Amino acid sequence: MSQRRTSADAGPATIRDVAERAGVSVASVSRVLSGNYPVSDDLRRRVMKVVRELDYVTNAHARSLAGGGTPTVAILINHITGAAFAHVAKGVEGAASLRGWLTLVGTTGDDPERELALVNLMRRQGVTAVVLLGGAYDFEEYQLRMARFARSLDSAGSHLVLVGRPALKGDAPATTVDYDNEGGAYAMASHLLSAGHRHVLVLPGPAELTTAQGRLNGAHRAFEAYGVPFRQDMVHHGPYDFEHGLRAVEHSLEQGPPFTAILAGTDVVAAGAMQALRSAGLRVPEDISVVGYDDIPLASQLTPKLTTVHVPYEEMGRVALRAVADRREGGAGRRGGDGDQFVLGTHVVVRQSVRPPERQG
Amino acid sequence: MSQRRTSADAGPATIRDVAERAGVSVASVSRVLSGNYPVSDDLRRRVMKVVRELDYVTNAHARSLAGGGTPTVAILINHITGAAFAHVAKGVEGAASLRGWLTLVGTTGDDPERELALVNLMRRQGVTAVVLLGGAYDFEEYQLRMARFARSLDSAGSHLVLVGRPALKGDAPATTVDYDNEGGAYAMASHLLSAGHRHVLVLPGPAELTTAQGRLNGAHRAFEAYGVPFRQDMVHHGPYDFEHGLRAVEHSLEQGPPFTAILAGTDVVAAGAMQALRSAGLRVPEDISVVGYDDIPLASQLTPKLTTVHVPYEEMGRVALRAVADRREGGAGRRGGDGDQFVLGTHVVVRQSVRPPERQG
DNA sequence: TTGAAAGCGCTACCAT
DNA sequence: ATGGTAGCGCTTTCAA
């Protein structure tokens, strides 16, 4: 210990140490540091001097217990390495620290048990809100589970925010921030159809995942609108990863029906698909058109640049945080009511990976 | 409020509510919940019943104040969207939650002021350790700054961990987890040189960043070892991003000296470089060889798959957390001493982006 | 085995 | 403008 303080006691300096050394009361020190109360310049100077000497910082736990405390948001992600999630997290964290709020991050690894444990952990922490990110597996159970979370957090003075997940039916006290997932898929599929494509390989993602379902539905609707038959044997479900895009296309190239375009569930899946096409000696978009979903940086870094659906992930994070902050400001008047619901728009970003089939190989 | 509790008071249930309702003392409730003390089965049952009824969870702040409390690690990143950082964070978070620890995340946006503010914020939170991620700008100031952080955290009972940053000189109480950055660069450059390349475009990254300096030095040493002159006009500093790789190569192609290979500072820069080459009608590796650094998933998703240097990011995160945990277990015996230092190995991952120049165009 | 009570460090209220 | 002090919810002696 190279600690040098008035008394030889161990541990961090407390407000009392500061008060003694400065020859003032703890109340005064508290007031100087909180800055929400008038104090004389002299007192402020004396206190701040000691604060610097002792390198003192207030104990957040004590402050929190006593009523003050830094608002904290918890973000619960399935996998921290997903690019889309990272962008939402960035939005939340940015908006949070702008307000001086703290951000906690936890990963569930797709494990419902861990999700529950984390929600409770966060509740213990007295977080202002818990933000759950990303598509969910919408078993019948999901709604009940989330409703329980919502109530549990609400009664603990916290709040549940669902981002990119289906809203809760009924009056569960949760806020939902979602994007027009199906609309984006509809527009993306329409883009392909209006370019003349009639044989489209569809890689929507995991069959049970709500986002994948939405994207598939959107595509389906577009096909109907164009009067083009939607063939189930051209739909391949699978994980939202590069590998799946790769394998699915390899497989379809070998033994599936012919196709002129690929509608991928995410940009990463599209990247995998493009890799498979290239390995097979096919060019994008000359031979086959490919589109993605998400518009993560990768999309514009692929060659050719990927036409995809832009999802305002970072904005969603900001909206989620703002909703929580507003609700806090709003005070008791709005507490306990049904959650708000926000839906952000999506739009197709046309780049270079689509071409009409007539002009394809 | 749809809260339903014994008394009509607002706010989350407290240990006292549980005690009253169960007809036992708060001490008993505490003991049942902490589980670190013998209690009768009857008491445990009674208490747990009420806990479930009230959906009670302990207040982490109160527990923390009173002595208990969940250990918490704080990760401070420059940009949350960097893939390499995300992997370190994953390693830390994974190892942390395995032990029931919490993880806090903050982003500094490359701003030293914000970094300082965050370190203090974390100190207030009483975190077990603060992990600073990623290359630093090693001005003279850096060492002093970090030494100050280290001492400040140490005297607050916390601990500083530097990951992927230069270790602190002197006896500052910090732990460093680094990788053999220069060695990796040396090996990577050697790989290119032994393949016969003599005209190599070098894109090490930002000139002031320690990781970029290390990578440049490693390359330099390799050139010396091979007796190949290292030309300064073939070195282009710039950010670790796709755009830089793109621009630097476009520029060099137009007006730089000719080259047969590109040694990029990161995989993302390499991806940008490859894009520029492709746009210029050059093939990789037939016309130009390209190598990266980091071995993030992107590397194996590029076409051709990128030969690069594997950096064990996730492992570094795990090591960082283990170091902190061990130090905590170790107890007072090791406290306050110099920090430990860990250096993890790197190695070249040979894929498909390199070919001898004779066989290039 | 269980209960009573003294703090943990801080804020906020009530005096002065 | 400043000081004294009662809690915030919990853990942990110390007694019973």
Side-chain angles (χ1 to χ4, degrees), chain B residues 14-15 27 30 56 59 62-63 66:
Chain B
T14 71
I15 196 171
S30 172
Y56 167 82
N59 178 321
R63 176 178 284 194

PDB file of all heavy atoms in Angstrom, chain B residues 14-15 27 30 56 59 62-63 66, chain D residues 7-15:
ATOM      1  N   THR B  14     -38.497  -5.062   0.377  1.00  0.00           N
ATOM      2  CA  THR B  14     -37.204  -5.068   1.044  1.00  0.00           C
ATOM      3  C   THR B  14     -37.096  -6.327   1.892  1.00  0.00           C
ATOM      4  O   THR B  14     -38.064  -7.063   2.066  1.00  0.00           O
ATOM      5  CB  THR B  14     -37.047  -3.865   1.976  1.00  0.00           C
ATOM      6  OG1 THR B  14     -37.917  -4.048   3.103  1.00  0.00           O
ATOM      7  CG2 THR B  14     -37.407  -2.584   1.263  1.00  0.00           C
ATOM      8  N   ILE B  15     -35.929  -6.504   2.427  1.00  0.00           N
ATOM      9  CA  ILE B  15     -35.704  -7.689   3.240  1.00  0.00           C
ATOM     10  C   ILE B  15     -36.628  -7.666   4.462  1.00  0.00           C
ATOM     11  O   ILE B  15     -37.024  -8.702   4.979  1.00  0.00           O
ATOM     12  CB  ILE B  15     -34.222  -7.760   3.679  1.00  0.00           C
ATOM     13  CG1 ILE B  15     -33.895  -9.172   4.176  1.00  0.00           C
ATOM     14  CG2 ILE B  15     -33.904  -6.717   4.732  1.00  0.00           C
ATOM     15  CD1 ILE B  15     -32.419  -9.372   4.417  1.00  0.00           C
ATOM     16  N   ALA B  27     -32.315 -10.864   9.869  1.00  0.00           N
ATOM     17  CA  ALA B  27     -31.051 -11.602   9.871  1.00  0.00           C
ATOM     18  C   ALA B  27     -31.261 -12.988   9.279  1.00  0.00           C
ATOM     19  O   ALA B  27     -30.454 -13.469   8.483  1.00  0.00           O
ATOM     20  CB  ALA B  27     -30.501 -11.700  11.284  1.00  0.00           C
ATOM     21  N   SER B  30     -31.660 -12.818   5.566  1.00  0.00           N
ATOM     22  CA  SER B  30     -30.350 -12.580   4.970  1.00  0.00           C
ATOM     23  C   SER B  30     -29.572 -13.886   4.885  1.00  0.00           C
ATOM     24  O   SER B  30     -28.979 -14.210   3.860  1.00  0.00           O
ATOM     25  CB  SER B  30     -29.577 -11.566   5.809  1.00  0.00           C
ATOM     26  OG  SER B  30     -28.255 -11.464   5.346  1.00  0.00           O
ATOM     27  N   TYR B  56     -39.171 -11.145  -4.610  1.00  0.00           N
ATOM     28  CA  TYR B  56     -38.134 -10.319  -3.986  1.00  0.00           C
ATOM     29  C   TYR B  56     -36.732 -10.626  -4.507  1.00  0.00           C
ATOM     30  O   TYR B  56     -36.380 -11.783  -4.709  1.00  0.00           O
ATOM     31  CB  TYR B  56     -38.165 -10.538  -2.464  1.00  0.00           C
ATOM     32  CG  TYR B  56     -36.970  -9.989  -1.742  1.00  0.00           C
ATOM     33  CD1 TYR B  56     -36.896  -8.638  -1.414  1.00  0.00           C
ATOM     34  CD2 TYR B  56     -35.910 -10.820  -1.405  1.00  0.00           C
ATOM     35  CE1 TYR B  56     -35.787  -8.132  -0.756  1.00  0.00           C
ATOM     36  CE2 TYR B  56     -34.798 -10.323  -0.750  1.00  0.00           C
ATOM     37  CZ  TYR B  56     -34.731  -8.981  -0.432  1.00  0.00           C
ATOM     38  OH  TYR B  56     -33.641  -8.474   0.210  1.00  0.00           O
ATOM     39  N   ASN B  59     -31.230  -6.019  -2.812  1.00  0.00           N
ATOM     40  CA  ASN B  59     -30.718  -4.783  -3.400  1.00  0.00           C
ATOM     41  C   ASN B  59     -29.197  -4.844  -3.443  1.00  0.00           C
ATOM     42  O   ASN B  59     -28.529  -4.872  -2.412  1.00  0.00           O
ATOM     43  CB  ASN B  59     -31.184  -3.610  -2.541  1.00  0.00           C
ATOM     44  CG  ASN B  59     -30.654  -2.293  -3.044  1.00  0.00           C
ATOM     45  OD1 ASN B  59     -29.512  -2.212  -3.478  1.00  0.00           O
ATOM     46  ND2 ASN B  59     -31.485  -1.276  -3.002  1.00  0.00           N
ATOM     47  N   ALA B  62     -27.260  -2.106  -1.540  1.00  0.00           N
ATOM     48  CA  ALA B  62     -27.235  -2.284  -0.092  1.00  0.00           C
ATOM     49  C   ALA B  62     -26.271  -3.407   0.283  1.00  0.00           C
ATOM     50  O   ALA B  62     -25.459  -3.271   1.197  1.00  0.00           O
ATOM     51  CB  ALA B  62     -28.628  -2.600   0.420  1.00  0.00           C
ATOM     52  N   ARG B  63     -26.356  -4.469  -0.460  1.00  0.00           N
ATOM     53  CA  ARG B  63     -25.474  -5.592  -0.161  1.00  0.00           C
ATOM     54  C   ARG B  63     -24.028  -5.174  -0.327  1.00  0.00           C
ATOM     55  O   ARG B  63     -23.162  -5.509   0.481  1.00  0.00           O
ATOM     56  CB  ARG B  63     -25.792  -6.754  -1.104  1.00  0.00           C
ATOM     57  CG  ARG B  63     -24.844  -7.905  -0.909  1.00  0.00           C
ATOM     58  CD  ARG B  63     -25.183  -9.076  -1.795  1.00  0.00           C
ATOM     59  NE  ARG B  63     -26.341  -9.807  -1.304  1.00  0.00           N
ATOM     60  CZ  ARG B  63     -26.667 -11.019  -1.753  1.00  0.00           C
ATOM     61  NH1 ARG B  63     -25.929 -11.593  -2.675  1.00  0.00           N
ATOM     62  NH2 ARG B  63     -27.725 -11.642  -1.292  1.00  0.00           N
ATOM     63  N   ALA B  66     -22.897  -3.084   2.531  1.00  0.00           N
ATOM     64  CA  ALA B  66     -22.753  -3.820   3.772  1.00  0.00           C
ATOM     65  C   ALA B  66     -21.622  -4.835   3.735  1.00  0.00           C
ATOM     66  O   ALA B  66     -21.365  -5.515   4.709  1.00  0.00           O
ATOM     67  CB  ALA B  66     -24.062  -4.512   4.108  1.00  0.00           C
TER      68      ALA B  66
ATOM     69  P    DG D   7     -35.444   7.677  11.292  1.00  0.00           P
ATOM     70  OP1  DG D   7     -36.299   7.670  10.059  1.00  0.00           O
ATOM     71  OP2  DG D   7     -36.032   7.453  12.616  1.00  0.00           O
ATOM     72  O5'  DG D   7     -34.224   6.640  11.122  1.00  0.00           O
ATOM     73  C5'  DG D   7     -34.318   5.563  10.184  1.00  0.00           C
ATOM     74  C4'  DG D   7     -34.352   6.089   8.765  1.00  0.00           C
ATOM     75  O4'  DG D   7     -33.249   7.011   8.579  1.00  0.00           O
ATOM     76  C3'  DG D   7     -34.161   4.961   7.753  1.00  0.00           C
ATOM     77  O3'  DG D   7     -35.056   5.105   6.674  1.00  0.00           O
ATOM     78  C2'  DG D   7     -32.714   5.092   7.290  1.00  0.00           C
ATOM     79  C1'  DG D   7     -32.403   6.550   7.547  1.00  0.00           C
ATOM     80  N9   DG D   7     -31.020   6.676   7.997  1.00  0.00           N
ATOM     81  C8   DG D   7     -30.510   6.403   9.252  1.00  0.00           C
ATOM     82  N7   DG D   7     -29.219   6.615   9.342  1.00  0.00           N
ATOM     83  C5   DG D   7     -28.859   7.067   8.057  1.00  0.00           C
ATOM     84  C6   DG D   7     -27.596   7.442   7.544  1.00  0.00           C
ATOM     85  O6   DG D   7     -26.507   7.468   8.122  1.00  0.00           O
ATOM     86  N1   DG D   7     -27.672   7.817   6.196  1.00  0.00           N
ATOM     87  C2   DG D   7     -28.834   7.829   5.465  1.00  0.00           C
ATOM     88  N2   DG D   7     -28.719   8.209   4.205  1.00  0.00           N
ATOM     89  N3   DG D   7     -30.015   7.488   5.926  1.00  0.00           N
ATOM     90  C4   DG D   7     -29.951   7.115   7.231  1.00  0.00           C
ATOM     91  P    DC D   8     -35.652   3.887   5.992  1.00  0.00           P
ATOM     92  OP1  DC D   8     -37.043   4.205   5.603  1.00  0.00           O
ATOM     93  OP2  DC D   8     -35.370   2.725   6.859  1.00  0.00           O
ATOM     94  O5'  DC D   8     -34.756   3.720   4.690  1.00  0.00           O
ATOM     95  C5'  DC D   8     -34.978   4.501   3.526  1.00  0.00           C
ATOM     96  C4'  DC D   8     -33.919   4.146   2.516  1.00  0.00           C
ATOM     97  O4'  DC D   8     -32.665   4.733   2.923  1.00  0.00           O
ATOM     98  C3'  DC D   8     -33.671   2.643   2.425  1.00  0.00           C
ATOM     99  O3'  DC D   8     -34.384   2.131   1.310  1.00  0.00           O
ATOM    100  C2'  DC D   8     -32.163   2.517   2.207  1.00  0.00           C
ATOM    101  C1'  DC D   8     -31.591   3.896   2.549  1.00  0.00           C
ATOM    102  N1   DC D   8     -30.635   3.910   3.692  1.00  0.00           N
ATOM    103  C2   DC D   8     -29.379   4.512   3.549  1.00  0.00           C
ATOM    104  O2   DC D   8     -29.080   5.012   2.454  1.00  0.00           O
ATOM    105  N3   DC D   8     -28.518   4.542   4.600  1.00  0.00           N
ATOM    106  C4   DC D   8     -28.888   3.993   5.771  1.00  0.00           C
ATOM    107  N4   DC D   8     -28.021   4.058   6.775  1.00  0.00           N
ATOM    108  C5   DC D   8     -30.171   3.379   5.933  1.00  0.00           C
ATOM    109  C6   DC D   8     -30.992   3.353   4.886  1.00  0.00           C
ATOM    110  P    DG D   9     -35.345   0.877   1.541  1.00  0.00           P
ATOM    111  OP1  DG D   9     -36.175   0.764   0.330  1.00  0.00           O
ATOM    112  OP2  DG D   9     -35.972   0.960   2.863  1.00  0.00           O
ATOM    113  O5'  DG D   9     -34.317  -0.335   1.556  1.00  0.00           O
ATOM    114  C5'  DG D   9     -33.565  -0.609   0.395  1.00  0.00           C
ATOM    115  C4'  DG D   9     -32.544  -1.682   0.697  1.00  0.00           C
ATOM    116  O4'  DG D   9     -31.606  -1.164   1.654  1.00  0.00           O
ATOM    117  C3'  DG D   9     -33.122  -2.962   1.297  1.00  0.00           C
ATOM    118  O3'  DG D   9     -32.566  -4.050   0.606  1.00  0.00           O
ATOM    119  C2'  DG D   9     -32.689  -2.894   2.755  1.00  0.00           C
ATOM    120  C1'  DG D   9     -31.377  -2.136   2.653  1.00  0.00           C
ATOM    121  N9   DG D   9     -31.000  -1.406   3.855  1.00  0.00           N
ATOM    122  C8   DG D   9     -31.827  -0.802   4.766  1.00  0.00           C
ATOM    123  N7   DG D   9     -31.180  -0.203   5.742  1.00  0.00           N
ATOM    124  C5   DG D   9     -29.842  -0.423   5.441  1.00  0.00           C
ATOM    125  C6   DG D   9     -28.670  -0.011   6.131  1.00  0.00           C
ATOM    126  O6   DG D   9     -28.589   0.650   7.168  1.00  0.00           O
ATOM    127  N1   DG D   9     -27.511  -0.447   5.488  1.00  0.00           N
ATOM    128  C2   DG D   9     -27.503  -1.191   4.328  1.00  0.00           C
ATOM    129  N2   DG D   9     -26.307  -1.528   3.862  1.00  0.00           N
ATOM    130  N3   DG D   9     -28.583  -1.576   3.681  1.00  0.00           N
ATOM    131  C4   DG D   9     -29.716  -1.164   4.284  1.00  0.00           C
ATOM    132  P    DC D  10     -32.820  -5.517   1.020  1.00  0.00           P
ATOM    133  OP1  DC D  10     -32.931  -6.316  -0.202  1.00  0.00           O
ATOM    134  OP2  DC D  10     -33.882  -5.558   2.019  1.00  0.00           O
ATOM    135  O5'  DC D  10     -31.438  -5.882   1.706  1.00  0.00           O
ATOM    136  C5'  DC D  10     -30.282  -5.983   0.889  1.00  0.00           C
ATOM    137  C4'  DC D  10     -29.037  -5.928   1.731  1.00  0.00           C
ATOM    138  O4'  DC D  10     -29.186  -4.886   2.702  1.00  0.00           O
ATOM    139  C3'  DC D  10     -28.768  -7.183   2.546  1.00  0.00           C
ATOM    140  O3'  DC D  10     -27.801  -7.973   1.839  1.00  0.00           O
ATOM    141  C2'  DC D  10     -28.174  -6.673   3.853  1.00  0.00           C
ATOM    142  C1'  DC D  10     -28.319  -5.166   3.783  1.00  0.00           C
ATOM    143  N1   DC D  10     -28.897  -4.561   4.992  1.00  0.00           N
ATOM    144  C2   DC D  10     -28.047  -4.004   5.942  1.00  0.00           C
ATOM    145  O2   DC D  10     -26.825  -4.069   5.759  1.00  0.00           O
ATOM    146  N3   DC D  10     -28.574  -3.429   7.050  1.00  0.00           N
ATOM    147  C4   DC D  10     -29.895  -3.383   7.212  1.00  0.00           C
ATOM    148  N4   DC D  10     -30.383  -2.785   8.312  1.00  0.00           N
ATOM    149  C5   DC D  10     -30.789  -3.946   6.263  1.00  0.00           C
ATOM    150  C6   DC D  10     -30.254  -4.523   5.172  1.00  0.00           C
ATOM    151  P    DT D  11     -27.476  -9.428   2.358  1.00  0.00           P
ATOM    152  OP1  DT D  11     -26.936 -10.167   1.210  1.00  0.00           O
ATOM    153  OP2  DT D  11     -28.630  -9.935   3.117  1.00  0.00           O
ATOM    154  O5'  DT D  11     -26.287  -9.158   3.387  1.00  0.00           O
ATOM    155  C5'  DT D  11     -25.079  -8.601   2.900  1.00  0.00           C
ATOM    156  C4'  DT D  11     -24.112  -8.400   4.050  1.00  0.00           C
ATOM    157  O4'  DT D  11     -24.701  -7.530   5.053  1.00  0.00           O
ATOM    158  C3'  DT D  11     -23.707  -9.675   4.786  1.00  0.00           C
ATOM    159  O3'  DT D  11     -22.318  -9.561   5.059  1.00  0.00           O
ATOM    160  C2'  DT D  11     -24.537  -9.634   6.056  1.00  0.00           C
ATOM    161  C1'  DT D  11     -24.591  -8.135   6.329  1.00  0.00           C
ATOM    162  N1   DT D  11     -25.759  -7.639   7.116  1.00  0.00           N
ATOM    163  C2   DT D  11     -25.523  -6.775   8.151  1.00  0.00           C
ATOM    164  O2   DT D  11     -24.418  -6.405   8.478  1.00  0.00           O
ATOM    165  N3   DT D  11     -26.668  -6.334   8.794  1.00  0.00           N
ATOM    166  C4   DT D  11     -27.978  -6.678   8.511  1.00  0.00           C
ATOM    167  O4   DT D  11     -28.902  -6.204   9.157  1.00  0.00           O
ATOM    168  C5   DT D  11     -28.142  -7.605   7.417  1.00  0.00           C
ATOM    169  C7   DT D  11     -29.510  -8.047   7.024  1.00  0.00           C
ATOM    170  C6   DT D  11     -27.039  -8.045   6.769  1.00  0.00           C
ATOM    171  P    DT D  12     -21.485 -10.844   5.473  1.00  0.00           P
ATOM    172  OP1  DT D  12     -20.354 -10.923   4.547  1.00  0.00           O
ATOM    173  OP2  DT D  12     -22.412 -11.984   5.628  1.00  0.00           O
ATOM    174  O5'  DT D  12     -20.949 -10.473   6.920  1.00  0.00           O
ATOM    175  C5'  DT D  12     -20.884  -9.098   7.303  1.00  0.00           C
ATOM    176  C4'  DT D  12     -20.847  -8.982   8.816  1.00  0.00           C
ATOM    177  O4'  DT D  12     -22.151  -8.575   9.304  1.00  0.00           O
ATOM    178  C3'  DT D  12     -20.491 -10.262   9.573  1.00  0.00           C
ATOM    179  O3'  DT D  12     -19.653  -9.917  10.655  1.00  0.00           O
ATOM    180  C2'  DT D  12     -21.832 -10.758  10.059  1.00  0.00           C
ATOM    181  C1'  DT D  12     -22.532  -9.423  10.357  1.00  0.00           C
ATOM    182  N1   DT D  12     -24.021  -9.503  10.354  1.00  0.00           N
ATOM    183  C2   DT D  12     -24.719  -8.649  11.188  1.00  0.00           C
ATOM    184  O2   DT D  12     -24.196  -7.844  11.920  1.00  0.00           O
ATOM    185  N3   DT D  12     -26.084  -8.786  11.107  1.00  0.00           N
ATOM    186  C4   DT D  12     -26.795  -9.676  10.317  1.00  0.00           C
ATOM    187  O4   DT D  12     -28.023  -9.689  10.344  1.00  0.00           O
ATOM    188  C5   DT D  12     -25.992 -10.538   9.472  1.00  0.00           C
ATOM    189  C7   DT D  12     -26.657 -11.532   8.581  1.00  0.00           C
ATOM    190  C6   DT D  12     -24.657 -10.419   9.534  1.00  0.00           C
ATOM    191  P    DT D  13     -18.593 -10.947  11.191  1.00  0.00           P
ATOM    192  OP1  DT D  13     -17.516 -10.099  11.712  1.00  0.00           O
ATOM    193  OP2  DT D  13     -18.358 -11.995  10.213  1.00  0.00           O
ATOM    194  O5'  DT D  13     -19.329 -11.632  12.430  1.00  0.00           O
ATOM    195  C5'  DT D  13     -18.747 -11.611  13.719  1.00  0.00           C
ATOM    196  C4'  DT D  13     -18.974 -10.269  14.396  1.00  0.00           C
ATOM    197  O4'  DT D  13     -20.205  -9.670  13.925  1.00  0.00           O
ATOM    198  C3'  DT D  13     -19.096 -10.432  15.906  1.00  0.00           C
ATOM    199  O3'  DT D  13     -18.287  -9.496  16.598  1.00  0.00           O
ATOM    200  C2'  DT D  13     -20.568 -10.232  16.212  1.00  0.00           C
ATOM    201  C1'  DT D  13     -21.119  -9.512  14.987  1.00  0.00           C
ATOM    202  N1   DT D  13     -22.426 -10.096  14.564  1.00  0.00           N
ATOM    203  C2   DT D  13     -23.580  -9.547  15.053  1.00  0.00           C
ATOM    204  O2   DT D  13     -23.605  -8.620  15.825  1.00  0.00           O
ATOM    205  N3   DT D  13     -24.730 -10.152  14.601  1.00  0.00           N
ATOM    206  C4   DT D  13     -24.841 -11.198  13.719  1.00  0.00           C
ATOM    207  O4   DT D  13     -25.933 -11.627  13.374  1.00  0.00           O
ATOM    208  C5   DT D  13     -23.588 -11.722  13.239  1.00  0.00           C
ATOM    209  C7   DT D  13     -23.577 -12.870  12.302  1.00  0.00           C
ATOM    210  C6   DT D  13     -22.454 -11.167  13.679  1.00  0.00           C
ATOM    211  P    DC D  14     -17.901  -9.794  18.118  1.00  0.00           P
ATOM    212  OP1  DC D  14     -17.110  -8.652  18.609  1.00  0.00           O
ATOM    213  OP2  DC D  14     -17.358 -11.161  18.142  1.00  0.00           O
ATOM    214  O5'  DC D  14     -19.316  -9.817  18.859  1.00  0.00           O
ATOM    215  C5'  DC D  14     -19.996  -8.581  19.100  1.00  0.00           C
ATOM    216  C4'  DC D  14     -21.265  -8.863  19.862  1.00  0.00           C
ATOM    217  O4'  DC D  14     -22.254  -9.426  18.967  1.00  0.00           O
ATOM    218  C3'  DC D  14     -21.081  -9.882  21.003  1.00  0.00           C
ATOM    219  O3'  DC D  14     -21.721  -9.377  22.170  1.00  0.00           O
ATOM    220  C2'  DC D  14     -21.779 -11.136  20.477  1.00  0.00           C
ATOM    221  C1'  DC D  14     -22.851 -10.550  19.583  1.00  0.00           C
ATOM    222  N1   DC D  14     -23.311 -11.468  18.495  1.00  0.00           N
ATOM    223  C2   DC D  14     -24.669 -11.492  18.140  1.00  0.00           C
ATOM    224  O2   DC D  14     -25.453 -10.753  18.739  1.00  0.00           O
ATOM    225  N3   DC D  14     -25.079 -12.339  17.161  1.00  0.00           N
ATOM    226  C4   DC D  14     -24.183 -13.123  16.543  1.00  0.00           C
ATOM    227  N4   DC D  14     -24.623 -13.916  15.570  1.00  0.00           N
ATOM    228  C5   DC D  14     -22.802 -13.104  16.889  1.00  0.00           C
ATOM    229  C6   DC D  14     -22.403 -12.277  17.860  1.00  0.00           C
ATOM    230  P    DA D  15     -21.439 -10.048  23.608  1.00  0.00           P
ATOM    231  OP1  DA D  15     -20.893  -9.021  24.506  1.00  0.00           O
ATOM    232  OP2  DA D  15     -20.705 -11.326  23.423  1.00  0.00           O
ATOM    233  O5'  DA D  15     -22.918 -10.389  24.062  1.00  0.00           O
ATOM    234  C5'  DA D  15     -23.764 -10.960  23.108  1.00  0.00           C
ATOM    235  C4'  DA D  15     -25.209 -10.791  23.494  1.00  0.00           C
ATOM    236  O4'  DA D  15     -25.979 -11.257  22.375  1.00  0.00           O
ATOM    237  C3'  DA D  15     -25.619 -11.674  24.660  1.00  0.00           C
ATOM    238  O3'  DA D  15     -26.800 -11.160  25.245  1.00  0.00           O
ATOM    239  C2'  DA D  15     -25.845 -13.008  23.991  1.00  0.00           C
ATOM    240  C1'  DA D  15     -26.372 -12.606  22.596  1.00  0.00           C
ATOM    241  N9   DA D  15     -25.788 -13.423  21.532  1.00  0.00           N
ATOM    242  C8   DA D  15     -24.466 -13.724  21.349  1.00  0.00           C
ATOM    243  N7   DA D  15     -24.244 -14.505  20.311  1.00  0.00           N
ATOM    244  C5   DA D  15     -25.515 -14.712  19.781  1.00  0.00           C
ATOM    245  C6   DA D  15     -25.975 -15.455  18.683  1.00  0.00           C
ATOM    246  N6   DA D  15     -25.167 -16.135  17.892  1.00  0.00           N
ATOM    247  N1   DA D  15     -27.293 -15.457  18.447  1.00  0.00           N
ATOM    248  C2   DA D  15     -28.105 -14.769  19.238  1.00  0.00           C
ATOM    249  N3   DA D  15     -27.801 -14.030  20.307  1.00  0.00           N
ATOM    250  C4   DA D  15     -26.474 -14.054  20.523  1.00  0.00           C
TER     251       DA D  15
END
